[in-house]
Amino acid sequence: MSALKKICLIGSGNWGSAIAKIVGHNVTKFDYFDKTVKMYVYEEIVDGRKLTEIINTDHENVKYLPGHKLPETIVAVPDALETAKDADVIIFVVPHQFVERTCAPLKDKIKPSAIGLSLIKGFGEKAGGGLVLISDLISETLGIKVSALMGANLAHEVADEKFCETTIGTEDEESGKILKDLLDTPNFRVTIVRDRYTVEVCGALKNIVGCAAGFSDGLKLGDNSKAAVIRLGLKEMIRFVKTFYGDNFELSTFFESCGVADLITTCYGGRNRKISEAFVTSGKTIEELEKELLNGQRLQGPQTAYEVLNLLEAKNVTDRFPLFYAVAMICKGIIPPSSLIEYLRKEPSD
């Protein structure tokens, strides 16, 4: 009999903890998974106690997902290497800015047969300039196969077990089967597609559009304007994939949960929308609002907008992406939020 597959999570914010609830339950449903799931937790002191101690004793991430019990199969570990060194499946769910520093201690010290799954929305930066998909960055750093999961998955609704869908992009059929067993539930419907690049690009770019939706709300432009933001944002997402990844993609992927569904959810309920609205109404900086409203977590939309802007400028195609350009300029404070409509009117012809 082959050894049971060991599962771990690298990351324990609100999204990581919500996924831990699902994974922790699902490992008990299949006889080929080990029943202990290690979760890397950045050690913090909360009310005089270590966060790992609280999770392992009280089975609750009181800082990032309060009010939700984690399965007893979840074991919090304050060291990333100790978490991942013997794992067969490694689920990555940390802010995209921290991927490289998190993966560095794992290099050459994990199972070469392990498979990875990235739930991280954003891009990495190539040496010498340019962007790289997070799944590719992890794969290149650790030498393992990495798939990507993206979808209309607000963490608190997933934790509340409200019905939603998600999309896993993977080129490997066996990995897809394992990951679906690990994550699919009656309330968390998993669809597998082979178009990993499009799945992941959608997950990154939708946060930029979510910022634009927040600016629109802060300016009180109304639902018609926000509908225009969503439509133009989707077109720029498709144009981005065509421009930088060629024609080797499936248009249908944009109509999976990772595409239009995630875009709508982000533009109405996501934290990028919420913080961007407050950016307009409060006059505070993005950084100040992160500290006040996100409990220390980082916003993905502005950083992704800056990274995308650098690429668009390097390739001299900013005129093809007026919405992405406007979001970056507004977040940087170079143009006022009230300029948004001006850029919505600059839709290029395809």
Side-chain angles (χ1 to χ4, degrees), residues 49-75:
R49 299 171 66 194
K50 292 181 179 179
L51 185 55
T52 54
E53 176 196 338
I54 295 171
I55 292 172
N56 291 333
T57 303
D58 302 341
H59 307 292
E60 181 182 354
N61 188 335
V62 294
K63 180 163 186 181
Y64 296 114
L65 197 68
H68 291 275
K69 286 294 182 182
L70 298 175
E72 293 187 14
T73 51
I74 300 296
V75 176

Side-chain angles (χ1 to χ4, degrees), residues 9-22:
L9 296 106
I10 301 295
S12 58
N14 61 342
W15 184 211
S17 297
I19 284 295
K21 281 190 68 177
I22 293 174

Side-chain angles (χ1 to χ4, degrees), residues 42 55 77 90 97 99 107 125 135 161 170 174 184 186 195 236 245 263 271 279 296 300 318 326:
Y42 179 77
I55 292 172
V77 180
I90 307 174
Q97 302 97 318
V99 171
K107 188 175 182 180
E125 294 190 44
S135 61
E161 299 181 24
T170 180
E174 180 60 24
D184 191 75
D195 192 5
E236 290 196 15
Y245 295 95
L263 181 61
R271 60 187 181 181
F279 176 77
Q300 301 298 300
T318 54

Side-chain angles (χ1 to χ4, degrees), residues 40-207:
Y40 167 58
V41 175
Y42 179 77
E43 193 69 280
E44 301 177 66
I45 302 300
V46 180
D47 295 330
R49 299 171 66 194
K50 292 181 179 179
L51 185 55
T52 54
E53 176 196 338
I54 295 171
I55 292 172
N56 291 333
T57 303
D58 302 341
H59 307 292
E60 181 182 354
N61 188 335
V62 294
K63 180 163 186 181
Y64 296 114
L65 197 68
H68 291 275
K69 286 294 182 182
L70 298 175
E72 293 187 14
T73 51
I74 300 296
V75 176
V77 180
D79 180 85
L81 178 57
E82 184 61 31
T83 303
K85 66 181 182 182
D86 61 352
D88 298 289
V89 179
I90 307 174
I91 299 172
F92 295 88
V93 55
V94 295
H96 81 278
Q97 302 97 318
F98 304 142
V99 171
E100 291 186 80
R101 75 176 75 169
T102 302
C103 286
L106 311 183
K107 188 175 182 180
D108 300 323
K109 295 177 181 176
I110 61 172
K111 290 182 178 180
S113 60
I115 62 172
L117 177 66
S118 172
L119 279 62
I120 301 167
K121 296 179 176 180
F123 295 102
E125 294 190 44
K126 291 181 180 178
L131 300 180
V132 60
L133 296 178
I134 296 295
S135 61
D136 284 340
L137 177 61
I138 296 171
S139 180
E140 291 165 8
T141 302
L142 301 181
I144 61 173
K145 294 178 181 177
V146 181
S147 305
L149 180 150
M150 305 286 156
N153 307 143
L154 296 178
H156 66 277
E157 293 188 9
V158 173
D160 287 338
E161 299 181 24
K162 295 179 178 178
F163 178 78
C164 64
E165 302 175 305
T166 200
T167 313
I168 292 178
T170 180
E171 294 91 351
D172 183 70
E173 185 175 344
E174 180 60 24
S175 294
K177 179 186 181 303
I178 293 169
L179 295 172
K180 183 159 186 171
D181 284 350
L182 198 55
L183 291 157
D184 191 75
T185 77
N187 295 314
F188 193 70
R189 178 176 177 265
V190 175
T191 298
I192 307 292
V193 301
R194 297 185 63 84
D195 192 5
R196 174 175 58 90
Y197 277 21
T198 301
V199 169
E200 194 163 352
V201 169
C202 283
L205 297 182
K206 62 94 183 186
N207 283 328

Side-chain angles (χ1 to χ4, degrees), residues 203-247:
L205 297 182
K206 62 94 183 186
N207 283 328
I208 303 177
V209 187
C211 290
F215 298 148
S216 178
D217 288 343
L219 293 165
K220 296 182 170 37
L221 298 180
D223 287 337
N224 293 335
S225 294
K226 189 147 74 168
V229 167
I230 294 170
R231 183 187 72 82
L232 293 165
L234 180 60
K235 290 192 73 173
E236 290 196 15
M237 288 164 61
I238 295 171
R239 189 177 298 123
F240 188 94
V241 172
K242 285 183 178 179
T243 301
F244 296 104
Y245 295 95
D247 293 324

